[in-house]
Amino acid sequence: MAIAARDFRELKLDGMSRSFGNLNALKGVTLNVRRGEFIALLGPSGCGKSTALNCLAGLLTLSGGSIWLDATRIDRLKPEERGFGMVFQNYALFPHMSVRRNIGFGLSMQGRAKPDIEKKIKEALSIVRLGDQGEKLPGQLSGGQQQRVAIARAIVIEPPLVLMDEPLSNLDAKLRLEMRSEIRRIHDLIGSATIYVTHDQEEALSLADRIVVMRDGVVRQVGTPEELYARPAHADVAEFMGYRNLVRSHASKSGNMLNVRIGGTDMPGTPVGTASEGNAVAAIRPDDLKASPDGPLSVTVESAQYHGRDFYCSGRTGDGIELYFCSERRVAKGDSINLTVDPSCVLVYAEDVP
C-alpha cells in the first residue's frame, strides 16, 4: 500500500500548558511519543484530554511549554503547517461533497496534482474498505461508514501523527467494537503515531500501546494497558480504571502486606506507592470480590443485575459500607452473603493521595 506516514522519530510535549482566564486546563504536560505508537489520553470529562489534543492540532495556542517533532518546534506553526491528520467526534464531513471529494479535500488544499490526488483517494478508500462508495454523499452512508470516510481523509495526507477525538462516541455498541479493530488495523498499516482521546477505559485498554491517564489538567500515570489495569499508581487512577470499590480505612502492618479494616473485618492487602500504617484507601475491582460461603466479608444484597455469565451486584456491610461484587449464582435483594478477595487484588494507597 502506497499511503504511509511521513517519517519522524519522536513527538515531544515539553511542559505543555493551556489556561482559559483563571482556569488552568493543562498544567505542564510532558510526554514523548515514538513513531508507530498508539497513545490513548484517558480521563473523565474536564480532565484536559481534548484541550491537549486541540493544542497538538494547533486549534488552541499554548499558554506555556512547547511541542517538538524531532528537532522542529511546531507549536508556533499554523494547523495546516503541522501536517497532522484529525478525526473529529462528529466526523466534520462536508455534506454537499461526495466521499471522494471529502477524502481529497486536504490534498487539494496542499496543491497536489490531480492524478496524484486521484491515486491517493483510491488508495485511502481501499484502506478503509469503502472502495465502492466514493460517489455517494455522506448522508447516504451509515455512521460507521462516515467514520471511515473521516479516517480516510485524515490518513490520505500521509501525516506523521493522527489525532482522534472520541471518534466512536456517536456509534452504537456493535459498531464501536467493529471500528476499534479497524482503527488499530489502519494505524498499524500506515505506520503513523496515533493520539486517541477517550473517556472509555475499555477502549483505551483494547487499542493503546500506552495509556496517559489525566485528571484536572495533570498527567497522573503513563503506562501500558497491562500496567494500568493491574497496578494503578494512585487511588484516583484505580477508580477510573475500574476499581469501583474505594474504601477509606485504617491500615496496619502485616509482614510485606497491609491489613485494612473493611466491614468490621481485617483484610490483607498489597501496599502501593507510599502506603503505610495509618489512614489509607483500599481499592478492589468488583470482579475480584466474589461470593463465597466461607468469605470473611458479610454483606446484605441491595441490587443484582444479570450480565450473562454472572451477576453484577451491590451490597452493604453491617457498618454501612457499599461494595460492588460478582456472583456466579443468582442472588436477590435482601440476601445475606459472604465475600472473599485475593490479597493481591486489594490495593492499598495512602489516604492523602489527591
Side-chain angles (χ1 to χ4, degrees), residues 221 230-235 256 258 269-276 281 283 344 346-350 353:
Q221 186 174 356
R231 191 54 61 91
H234 307 287
N256 294 327
L258 285 173
T270 303
V272 179
T274 60
S276 60
V281 177
S344 66
V346 180
L347 305 184
V348 184
Y349 299 89
V353 173

Side-chain angles (χ1 to χ4, degrees), residues 200-221:
D200 186 325
Q201 53 113 343
E202 188 177 327
E203 267 185 27
L205 289 170
S206 65
L207 280 169
D209 298 313
R210 287 191 296 156
I211 299 172
V212 180
V213 179
M214 298 185 66
R215 178 189 178 194
D216 296 333
V218 175
V219 173
R220 294 293 283 156
Q221 186 174 356

Side-chain angles (χ1 to χ4, degrees), residues 275-295:
S276 60
E277 291 185 298
N279 293 335
V281 177
I284 311 170
R285 287 184 178 278
D287 49 346
D288 290 328
L289 192 58
K290 299 182 183 297
S292 173
D294 56 352

Side-chain angles (χ1 to χ4, degrees), residues 153-342:
R153 184 179 58 186
I155 67 172
V156 76
I157 60 173
E158 300 179 300
L161 182 68
V162 176
L163 307 173
M164 296 190 172
D165 191 4
E166 303 210 43
L168 306 184
S169 60
N170 291 331
L171 302 179
D172 62 38
K174 181 175 181 293
L175 272 177
R176 283 201 301 271
L177 286 174
E178 291 176 2
M179 286 306 300
R180 271 191 221 167
S181 299
E182 282 297 282
I183 286 171
R184 184 69 212 205
R185 178 185 66 83
I186 293 166
H187 165 85
D188 292 338
L189 186 64
I190 67 173
S192 66
T194 298
I195 297 184
Y196 184 102
V197 163
T198 182
H199 64 273
D200 186 325
Q201 53 113 343
E202 188 177 327
E203 267 185 27
L205 289 170
S206 65
L207 280 169
D209 298 313
R210 287 191 296 156
I211 299 172
V212 180
V213 179
M214 298 185 66
R215 178 189 178 194
D216 296 333
V218 175
V219 173
R220 294 293 283 156
Q221 186 174 356
V222 181
T224 66
E226 293 83 0
E227 289 168 346
L228 267 77
Y229 186 89
R231 191 54 61 91
H234 307 287
D236 59 291
V237 176
E239 182 178 29
F240 204 77
M241 295 307 297
Y243 288 79
R244 197 172 179 189
N245 295 305
L246 289 184
V247 181
R248 295 191 176 277
S249 181
H250 185 275
S252 57
K253 197 77 172 173
S254 177
N256 294 327
M257 309 291 281
L258 285 173
N259 282 337
V260 285
R261 195 155 189 82
I262 302 175
T265 301
D266 284 335
M267 305 286 293
T270 303
V272 179
T274 60
S276 60
E277 291 185 298
N279 293 335
V281 177
I284 311 170
R285 287 184 178 278
D287 49 346
D288 290 328
L289 192 58
K290 299 182 183 297
S292 173
D294 56 352
L297 273 173
S298 178
V299 299
T300 300
V301 177
E302 294 192 335
S303 69
Q305 301 172 4
Y306 184 54
H307 281 199
R309 285 185 294 183
D310 52 18
F311 290 83
Y312 189 88
C313 315
S314 69
R316 199 168 293 273
T317 64
D319 55 358
I321 296 174
E322 185 178 30
L323 294 173
Y324 296 90
F325 63 95
C326 291
S327 174
E328 293 181 353
R329 64 178 179 86
R330 178 181 291 277
V331 295
K333 183 177 180 180
D335 288 353
S336 293
I337 64 172
N338 293 335
L339 303 174
T340 188
V341 60
D342 189 283

Side-chain angles (χ1 to χ4, degrees), residues 21 49 101 122 243 268 325:
K49 56 189 186 295
R101 289 182 62 201
K122 183 177 180 181
Y243 288 79
F325 63 95

